[in-house]
Amino acid sequence: MKKAIIILFFILFSCSLFANDKKYAVTDIPEMLLEHADMVVRESTYELKLFSQDKASYNCHFVYTLLNKSAENYLALALNYNKTIKVDNISYLVYDQEGNEIEKVKKSEIEDYSAISGSSIFDESRVKFAHPGEFDYPITIECSFEYEYDGLFSYPTWSPVSEYNVSVESSIFEVKVSSNASFRFKEFNTDSLDVQIDPANGNYRWEARNLTAFEYESYHTSIRDFIPVVYSAPSDFKLEGYEGNLSSWKNFGLWIKDLNEGRDELSEQSIEEIKSLTKGVDNELEKIQILYSYLQNNTRYVNIQVGIGSMQPMKATDVNRLAYGDCKALSFYMKSILKIAGIESYYTLINAGSEADPIMTDFSSMQFNHAILCVPIKQDTLWLECTSQDIPFGYLGEFTDDRYGLMIKADGGELVKTKKYTIEDNLIVTKAEVDFNPTGKSLANVQVQYKGLNYDYMRSILVGTYDEKKKAMYNRIDMPDFKINQFNHKAQKEIIPVVNEEFEIELTNFCTNMGNRSFFNPNLLNRKRSDLRRYADRLS
């Protein structure tokens, strides 16, 4: 009997130990956090320690439950680093839906390779990459790692919610600031969080709990408008020996100006060549156009991520000699060319992309990913995109239009707005003549003019081969049965560009006959067949 009791105790003790090994069971997730969720942040902790102007550490630990295949992009862990940013102490565990550990990524399985892209020539960035095997959902992943910074220019941004269809059980962001460092922050939508701010002792803490998922909405605004976000930045900083101050846009601009100082010099031979291009040309706009054409015909874009945190452009002499550069280098090279012609221009940082978040104008910090050139002229302010060999002169497009950029001037930085294209600038005008036979084929001759930002829509067609253009047209024309007999495209590459399209098509079922009546849709193009989903309570 005593022996039986001992055996029973041993079994119960073993089961208890086994049960304690289980972590993050899916059944433990509150029901409200599963609604609209593809992924649940079970817990996450991010701790930023600022030791001085150029020394810091960032410890990260997070546990994500991936509920379905829509969340599979969270499986990959990619950690970027370079000569001033080191990443170490990487851990990656995988649990099944009951909380049993089913995989541990070994240190030898973490890949380490150059982050150079297909368009890159020089890139100091590297990435450590971990991706476990395939699993049946739901699964839970637990990751941790530590960054060490030797040179600081920007601080991390924290948001407990990364995107739509993500809910949060717990997420914490802590910052500890020494007396030798500086810390500024800007927060959005943090009323529901537990926030503890103690600047006197250099302690800052934000904690989020039980945040339900936001369902994706068609034609939404930026998710930043309604999720909690904390942006952070230094005041005084040091990066690769260059000291600066980010407390104002003016000071930010002064630091960029110092980085660029003396890098606009060109050889005497290059100077004479450039002067000869505009010899006898008195019109300022015409001069700029000639030199811009010279830039497009003699250089190409490559990605170059080197030099003072990837912020310092190549020297103009190197761009001239090598005939390539990144956005910083080509914009600065164009500035150097215009200077030889006696035309003043301003190197400008911008946050590019058709869906880029707007600049927080009251929080000076690194919010930019691209560089363009601003050229003030008597008629207007001219903006030049210097990375494209085929973009029209003075045209920005949706990539950089209607947003703030940081113009770098002699006395520092200044926020300025790029060109906004009006309704009149952005027209699509269609004229179609259709010779239709109610009992047979119809023939249509169509002329379409795409103006302004609609040039972006047609740009790929302009540079494609004949077969590529024809295929694109078949994909674009939304009709059940037609044949393209011939087509033609002509572009007017002006500051407000225009693409003229002409084509002839045969239509098989243009008309529907009912008795002595014929019914047809007069709109041959731009038909919208999809219906917008109805939302009971939209967020945006």
Side-chain angles (χ1 to χ4, degrees), residues 478-508:
D478 185 15
M479 299 192 71
D481 191 5
F482 67 97
K483 176 186 175 184
I484 299 175
N485 291 336
Q486 58 186 7
F487 64 89
N488 183 46
H489 296 92
K490 289 183 180 179
Q492 300 174 22
K493 292 190 174 183
E494 301 171 353
I495 293 176
I496 304 295
V498 175
V499 177
N500 292 304
E501 178 182 64
E502 296 181 358
F503 58 91
E504 181 185 88
I505 56 175
E506 293 180 14
L507 309 170
T508 302

Side-chain angles (χ1 to χ4, degrees), residues 229-371:
V229 185
V230 178
Y231 296 90
S232 61
S235 293
D236 296 314
F237 68 92
K238 185 188 293 184
L239 184 63
E240 297 186 41
Y242 283 79
E243 294 188 15
N245 181 278
L246 269 176
S247 60
S248 70
W249 295 115
K250 181 182 178 69
N251 289 341
F252 189 170
L254 286 172
W255 186 72
I256 297 294
K257 173 180 169 291
D258 288 343
L259 290 188
N260 298 348
E261 198 71 42
R263 305 182 75 82
D264 60 349
E265 297 177 358
L266 289 167
S267 67
E268 287 299 324
Q269 182 180 351
S270 298
I271 291 172
E272 290 305 315
E273 180 185 5
I274 291 165
K275 284 183 176 179
S276 68
L277 294 173
T278 56
K279 187 176 181 179
V281 180
D282 296 325
N283 185 279
E284 185 180 39
L285 186 62
E286 188 179 347
K287 276 186 181 182
I288 301 169
Q289 193 161 9
I290 290 170
L291 296 175
Y292 183 71
S293 179
Y294 172 82
L295 173 81
Q296 288 186 307
N297 293 332
N298 290 277
T299 62
R300 62 188 176 90
Y301 171 81
V302 297
N303 186 24
I304 302 174
Q305 297 293 330
V306 296
I308 320 300
S310 303
M311 293 298 296
Q312 188 178 57
M314 291 168 57
K315 292 181 178 179
T317 52
D318 292 336
V319 178
N320 183 272
R321 175 174 56 88
L322 299 170
Y324 61 68
D326 62 5
C327 62
K328 303 183 301 292
L330 295 175
S331 296
F332 200 69
Y333 178 54
M334 185 66 201
K335 173 180 170 62
S336 306
I337 291 173
L338 292 174
K339 181 180 176 182
I340 292 170
I343 298 170
E344 187 174 39
S345 61
Y346 298 102
Y347 179 80
T348 304
L349 300 178
I350 200 101
N351 192 24
S354 59
E355 296 185 3
D357 283 331
I359 295 298
M360 296 176 287
T361 58
D362 59 347
F363 188 66
S364 52
S365 56
M366 183 54 188
Q367 302 176 51
F368 311 103
N369 60 9
H370 191 53

Side-chain angles (χ1 to χ4, degrees), residues 459-474:
R459 191 172 171 186
S460 60
I461 289 181
L462 293 174
V463 299
T465 64
Y466 177 85
D467 290 339
E468 289 171 339
K469 291 178 181 179
K470 193 169 186 177
K471 182 179 179 181
M473 291 188 67
Y474 271 110

Side-chain angles (χ1 to χ4, degrees), residues 66 68-69 71-77 92-96 102-106 109-111 129-141 143:
L66 317 184
N68 52 57
K69 193 173 178 62
E72 66 178 346
N73 58 305
Y74 290 99
L75 272 176
L77 179 67
Y92 194 130
L93 301 172
V94 184
Y95 305 90
D96 65 15
I102 55 176
E103 183 171 336
K104 180 177 182 179
V105 178
K106 300 176 183 177
E109 295 173 329
I110 299 173
E111 300 176 59
F129 183 82
H131 195 299
E134 296 293 326
F135 304 96
D136 293 328
Y137 294 93
I139 60 167
T140 297
I141 60 173
C143 301

